[in-house]
Amino acid sequence: KDRLKEGNDEQKELTRRKFLSTAAAGGAAAAFVPRHVLGRGFTPPSDLLNIAGVGVGGMGRQNLINLASQNIVALCDVDWGYADKGFERLDSDIEKLRDRLEHPDRASAPGQPPAEFDRVKAKARLDGMIRLKTEHVPKAKRYKDYREMLDRQKDIDAVLVATADHMHAPVALAAMDLHKHVYVQKPLTWSVEEARKMARAAKETKVATQMGNQGHSMDDARTAVEYIWAGAIGEVREIHIWTNRPLGFWPQGVPRPEPLKDPSDKLRWNGQGVNLRLAAAMAGNYPVPDTLRWDLFLGAAAPNIEYHPIYHPFNWRGWVDWGVGAIGDMGAHLIDHSMWALNLGTPTSVETVSTPFNGACYPQATMTFYEFPGRGPLPPVKLTWYDGGLMPNKPAELGDEELKQEGGALLIGSKGKLLHDTYGLHPRLLPKSLNDSFGKPPVKLPRIPGEAHEMNWVDAAKGKTEPSCPFAYAARLTEVMLLGIVALKAGRKIFYDGENMRVTNLPQANDYLRREYRQGWSV
């Protein structure tokens, strides 16, 4: 009996592996076991993807909840103390969501607008949280080093990457090299060169890829694109996009913690003196937490900076060594739809102006000016990015309504304007009379079932559909975002040859398009 069981197990694994390899080649249908053979409500093993998560303490936890219908077979994080706190919160999160489902008509807090609540999505999220807590977290193998995980665990079919920005490319490229499907949080990469490498690897390996800008899978976002395609606002030559990040989310515009080199009474109370005092006030002896592998957090290319709690967890986003600032965090949720609708490609020039920038921590606020050339019949476009509380002028057509402080996009055309919120939500035409008379645009884009961005990637890995935001597109979007950082570092307007990935007017700025990797790491 034992030998028979072992033989059956081996046959099941071979069948599952055959399915996945067939799916990657686009012939998934032949590998499925009919559900009626297995019984109603039973998911055949061939329907499930074996997924590993790398970076599971932040947004990675949310991704895992949305992937909980699959097999979560491995979890990797450089700080299990932080990651486990997120998993421990599942108990309270589950109870809160259950209570919300049981009391859907409960009033919002005084002074707050009614919160939108989708019961179908909420029930799916509840199920995902329960499955992640009860099935996956207890059973999944744990690692701190993704290289060890990929080397040791052979049953992994797909990898979720939700690390700090600077490690997205090293992890994803290692996974693709082993022909694993990959889902990578936004921004896709830390550098322009990495984005190009990711797009190439996806094309060569033909694995299913997805960037974690979930707005790309939302119905509203697709409607926003269709408004432009339908000519609702005519020719678009000017775009304004803004976010309030990093305000209230993570620190930026601060000095690196460092003790004073001279006595404080020798310092003036000018800008430099105040910054030195601030740096000294934050300096201190902060031992690396026992649960954190700081060397692995620094990873492939970051300089050897001593640990400080202002860097990790989450606050890394505001530091040049590991993050890409506000545009890296929110650009994929806001620039996406304009690029998509207008096929913007790469800009010919980029200029970033900002509050003071010390080279180590991103400024408190920036404005980036992009110039995109004409594309066939489409005219040139000027796009302006604002962050840190900076915003464009309110269009007169809004009347008493104000632009949303948290973020949005305003596309200005020859016949009217299009305004949408973050993620492409609530697209509407301005003036209101145009919105009312035009109605909804013709549907040209397929809708993603349930607006489920992660599961769209799973279905793509199984050969059932195309991924919503594959690296072929995500890399171009990321490159545009990162060029804003290149211009910030350059300190002046740059002219860019996208075909050759080259800054033409400032040779030294080309160093900001790439970075060197330390020994033992590669991409």
Side-chain angles (χ1 to χ4, degrees), residues 195-244:
R196 299 253 176 148
K197 287 182 177 180
M198 293 271 269
R200 268 197 310 273
K203 183 178 180 180
E204 291 167 359
T205 60
K206 296 181 173 59
V207 296
T209 61
Q210 186 94 298
M211 183 168 75
N213 55 328
Q214 62 269 29
H216 205 87
S217 289
M218 292 181 178
D219 294 354
D220 272 9
R222 292 172 178 244
T223 298
V225 172
E226 289 162 347
Y227 269 126
I228 301 301
W229 287 356
I233 62 172
E235 286 189 341
V236 177
R237 295 176 178 268
E238 182 181 347
I239 303 171
H240 298 271
I241 299 176
W242 70 99
T243 178
N244 65 347

Side-chain angles (χ1 to χ4, degrees), residues 75 130-142:
L75 298 171
I130 292 171
R131 293 187 69 172
L132 180 61
K133 174 181 170 51
T134 60
E135 297 179 25
H136 301 310
V137 172
K139 295 178 182 178
K141 295 179 182 178
R142 291 190 168 202

Side-chain angles (χ1 to χ4, degrees), residues 305-317:
I305 301 297
E306 289 188 6
Y307 167 80
H308 192 288
I310 201 172
Y311 302 143
H312 170 83
F314 186 70
N315 287 339
W316 51 260
R317 194 177 296 282

Side-chain angles (χ1 to χ4, degrees), residues 84-362:
D84 274 332
K85 287 179 182 177
F87 292 136
E88 289 164 6
R89 286 198 307 273
L90 284 169
D91 285 325
S92 60
D93 291 346
I94 287 168
E95 290 308 309
K96 288 177 183 176
L97 189 52
R98 276 180 173 154
D99 182 66
R100 185 75 174 87
L101 282 164
E102 291 170 3
H103 304 91
D105 299 323
R106 181 173 290 166
S108 301
Q112 295 296 317
E116 294 184 7
F117 187 65
D118 187 318
R119 290 185 60 83
V120 174
K121 289 183 179 179
K123 287 179 179 178
R125 177 172 170 76
L126 179 63
D127 180 64
M129 287 193 290
I130 292 171
R131 293 187 69 172
L132 180 61
K133 174 181 170 51
T134 60
E135 297 179 25
H136 301 310
V137 172
K139 295 178 182 178
K141 295 179 182 178
R142 291 190 168 202
Y143 301 87
K144 287 194 171 183
D145 191 330
Y146 74 91
R147 297 169 298 179
E148 178 185 356
M149 181 191 75
L150 292 174
D151 182 58
R152 288 189 177 185
Q153 195 155 341
K154 306 303 181 184
D155 63 341
I156 296 169
D157 304 313
V159 179
L160 156 71
V161 183
T163 62
D165 299 346
H166 72 302
M167 287 302 294
H168 287 181
V171 180
L173 288 167
M176 285 191 282
D177 190 51
L178 296 171
H179 291 270
K180 314 293 186 188
H181 308 288
V182 286
Y183 181 108
V184 179
Q185 265 306 330
K186 49 75 197 170
L188 188 63
T189 62
W190 184 93
S191 76
V192 170
E193 183 180 59
E194 289 172 336
R196 299 253 176 148
K197 287 182 177 180
M198 293 271 269
R200 268 197 310 273
K203 183 178 180 180
E204 291 167 359
T205 60
K206 296 181 173 59
V207 296
T209 61
Q210 186 94 298
M211 183 168 75
N213 55 328
Q214 62 269 29
H216 205 87
S217 289
M218 292 181 178
D219 294 354
D220 272 9
R222 292 172 178 244
T223 298
V225 172
E226 289 162 347
Y227 269 126
I228 301 301
W229 287 356
I233 62 172
E235 286 189 341
V236 177
R237 295 176 178 268
E238 182 181 347
I239 303 171
H240 298 271
I241 299 176
W242 70 99
T243 178
N244 65 347
R245 307 290 172 100
L247 294 181
F249 291 92
W250 63 85
Q252 282 187 197
V254 297
R256 195 184 290 284
E258 183 180 39
L260 285 176
K261 294 182 174 65
D262 299 306
S264 60
D265 60 3
K266 301 291 185 182
L267 295 176
R268 297 171 60 191
W269 284 96
N270 57 6
Q272 182 183 15
V274 168
N275 273 328
L276 289 172
R277 287 179 171 89
L278 289 173
M282 293 186 291
N285 181 21
Y286 293 98
V288 179
D290 293 339
T291 59
L292 170 63
R293 280 285 303 274
W294 182 243
D295 60 322
L296 294 178
F297 174 84
L298 294 177
N304 288 315
I305 301 297
E306 289 188 6
Y307 167 80
H308 192 288
I310 201 172
Y311 302 143
H312 170 83
F314 186 70
N315 287 339
W316 51 260
R317 194 177 296 282
W319 295 90
V320 172
D321 295 331
W322 312 295
V324 194
I327 198 168
D329 183 49
M330 297 305 292
H333 297 315
L334 285 159
I335 300 174
D336 178 15
H337 317 92
S338 294
M339 278 202 64
W340 188 5
L342 296 168
N343 191 28
L344 290 180
T346 53
T348 51
S349 73
V350 187
E351 182 178 14
T352 298
V353 298
S354 73
T355 53
F357 177 42
N358 59 23
C361 188
Y362 291 111

